[in-house]
Amino acid sequence: MLLSILLSSLLLSTTPPKIIKPIEISPYDVSPSTEGTAVVEFRIDELGEVCEVNIVDTFDVTINPLIEKAVRRMKFEPALQNGNPVRVMYSLPIRFE
């Protein structure tokens, strides 16, 4: 029984999601002096849509709504497991320079 479980887990073929439409934040939306890194976690569903956005680390809370809106506009090819689309968690660091 344990051997069959181990073998079946080894046979799972997983492909990570691929970015189709990358994040876009206009330099006009933030101050030129804005510098730092924010980290956003979110789910990518079976259709490649972003959902459940959570900003886990930020350097300026005033730009969090801008970051969330930009992340929600991203598009992905969904992750695949054994050829079938699956939901996954994704973590994205966003650097402002």
Side-chain angles (χ1 to χ4, degrees):
M1 174 79 168
L2 179 59
L3 181 58
S4 76
I5 292 171
L6 289 173
L7 286 175
S8 66
S9 68
L10 291 174
L11 296 175
L12 292 178
S13 169
T14 304
T15 305
K18 295 178 185 163
I19 298 173
I20 296 173
K21 181 180 176 196
I23 192 166
E24 295 175 357
I25 298 176
S26 169
Y28 301 109
D29 290 337
V30 293
S31 166
S33 63
T34 300
E35 285 191 25
T37 301
V39 178
V40 185
E41 289 182 346
F42 52 93
R43 288 199 185 277
I44 302 170
D45 68 15
E46 297 87 350
L47 299 174
E49 300 291 324
V50 172
C51 54
E52 301 177 35
V53 177
N54 183 30
I55 299 172
V56 295
D57 190 17
T58 186
F59 62 95
D60 182 353
V61 295
T62 63
I63 64 170
N64 285 3
L66 171 71
I67 293 170
E68 182 175 347
K69 185 177 177 182
V71 168
R72 288 188 182 277
R73 287 192 308 253
M74 295 177 72
K75 300 291 181 209
F76 293 83
E77 282 184 20
L80 299 176
Q81 189 169 52
N82 289 333
N84 299 312
V86 292
R87 287 179 77 137
V88 293
M89 284 296 294
Y90 199 88
S91 182
L92 179 68
I94 304 168
R95 176 91 182 123
F96 292 84
E97 301 180 313

